[in-house]
DNA sequence: GAAAAATAATTAGGAACCTAATTATATAGG
DNA sequence: CCTATATAATTAGGTTCCTAATTATTTTTC
């Protein structure tokens, strides 16, 4: 058994309800096993999706972060400050600096010093960057759509609602 | 504006439906914007949860991976092979080797050469490792429960079902 | 029973993101 | 005005996980 692709055997990594219940019972805690299971499954799904996304974007010579930066640039008229990019993407400025470095090296964006404020250097989407987005759009969006193809419109709405509420709850892990 | 904690401003990073629709319209593609939005939101949520989990486990001197390894060890009688751990956790053997290195350095697990097969070295949960799990269980599970506290039991069931189907669909990103 | 193939764990090196410290410029307070 | 503070971007160094190559041992095959 070669464990091809990523050492994951499809089903093995999925945590089960009995597994969660057993963990809770071991310490005699008063916790809902289903709640714990939701947390575990979402974590699993997030990690799996993150990994799959990297593979997907690598096909176009990009990473998830670099694609999202390009897309945000396109969404905002082709010129955005690094600090704004960091905010839009939900990553740190240090990370944005690194993303820009590679995108600039590859000719997909360029940096331009601001006239108004000497501290700022705005990031510009080059023609090459724009054509990269254009070129990958059909396949990219088709795959995203296929990904949620097992849910109908109604179910997607419900999923978005529930996911939003769980996302709000994530702060329970970091609070205090 | 200091952008404390992680440079994320609560709402800013959440992708919206109009944003997805605009991206699709730009290239005149026949794709459902809601489907794209589900993909984007799940990615966002996964990344956010992953980061929050690291902060959570860091409180106990662990990382997400190291905690999961300890928990799996406890779930399986305190002795498991590295290759099995890799399979259970859905990570590579190389990663497991690294996790064990640190856990062993901290005294939470130990390695023992197999008698039957000279290639194998099983991993053992030490008493210190077991007490670490015991000690963190109440707070750990309480926080997980709080995280999904905005969903009632019925909604959690629905969420698990829908998440499971989306998770199946993730392969659409990597197929072909 | 020795050569070839498979398997277990590890090592080496890379990618993505992080926090904290640094550099350069702009703004405010006395 | 000029020192003190705030802000923009970057650099330095760390964490987590990955793929590919390596080492050691077992199993298969002829």
């Amino acid at each position: 058994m070669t464990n091809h692709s990523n050492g994951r055997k499809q089903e093995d990594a999925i945590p089960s309800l009995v597994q969660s219940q057993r963990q809770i019972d071991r310490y005699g805690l008063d916790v809902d096993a289903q709640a714990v299971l939701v947390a575990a499954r979402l974590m699993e799904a997030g990690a799996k999706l993150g990994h799959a996304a990297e593979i997907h974007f690598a096909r176009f010579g990009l990473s998830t972060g670099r694609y999202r930066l390009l897309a945000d640039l396109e969404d905002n008229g082709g010129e955005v400050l690094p600090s704004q990019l960091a905010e839009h993407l939900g990553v740190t400025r240090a990370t944005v600096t690194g993303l820009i470095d590679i995108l600039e090296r590859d000719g997909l964006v360029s940096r331009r010093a601001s006239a108004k404020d000497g501290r700022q250097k705005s990031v510009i989407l080059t023609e090459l960057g724009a054509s990269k987005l254009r070129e990958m759009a059909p396949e990219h969006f088709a795959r995203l759509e296929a990904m949620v193809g097992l849910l109908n419109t109604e179910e997607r709405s419900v999923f978005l609602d529930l996911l939003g509420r769980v996302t709000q709850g994530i702060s329970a892990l970091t609070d205090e």
Side-chain angles (χ1 to χ4, degrees), chain A:
Chain A
M1 193 247 294
T2 325
N3 263 357
H4 32 296
S5 88
N6 62 357
R8 195 174 294 139
K9 260 187 60 191
Q10 222 100 78
E11 343 269 7
D12 294 20
I14 310 179
S16 75
L17 188 61
V18 291
Q19 204 174 322
S20 298
Q21 189 59 259
R22 200 172 17 170
Q23 291 188 334
I24 293 163
D25 289 347
R26 188 152 36 228
Y27 300 114
L29 296 172
D30 181 25
V31 175
D32 179 11
Q34 196 195 28
V36 171
L37 183 61
V38 168
R41 289 266 180 87
L42 183 55
M43 211 130 128
E44 200 72 34
K48 193 176 169 190
L49 176 54
H51 187 231
E54 292 300 343
I55 292 170
H56 167 66
F57 290 116
R59 258 192 273 264
F60 308 103
L62 294 174
S63 68
T64 303
R66 296 201 297 278
Y67 169 78
R68 296 218 301 138
L69 195 154
L70 289 180
D72 190 73
L73 220 35
E74 186 180 50
D75 266 3
N76 290 94
E79 173 161 2
V80 181
L81 297 174
S83 47
Q84 296 177 312
L85 288 166
E87 207 173 285
H88 297 170
L89 305 185
V91 300
T92 64
R93 293 181 185 190
T95 297
V96 166
T97 295
L99 296 175
I100 297 169
D101 284 345
I102 297 179
L103 289 169
E104 187 173 42
R105 183 203 66 193
D106 294 348
L108 303 176
V109 307
S110 58
R111 276 185 247 239
R112 177 161 63 199
S114 164
K116 298 178 285 201
D117 189 327
R119 292 167 301 183
Q120 298 180 340
K121 293 181 197 168
S122 62
V123 182
I124 319 244
L125 184 66
T126 64
E127 182 41 50
L128 189 61
S131 71
K132 167 68 79 176
L133 286 172
R134 208 178 306 131
E135 190 182 290
M136 63 186 289
E139 180 178 349
H140 168 61
F141 288 111
R143 282 183 189 269
L144 288 191
E145 192 174 41
M147 177 178 135
V148 298
L150 267 49
L151 268 49
N152 62 36
T153 302
E154 166 68 18
E155 290 169 327
R156 285 178 204 157
S157 284
V158 172
F159 184 71
L160 282 175
D161 170 40
L162 299 176
L163 180 62
R165 285 193 270 152
V166 173
T167 302
Q168 271 186 265
I170 289 176
S171 58
L173 291 184
T174 53
D175 280 352
E176 176 190 357

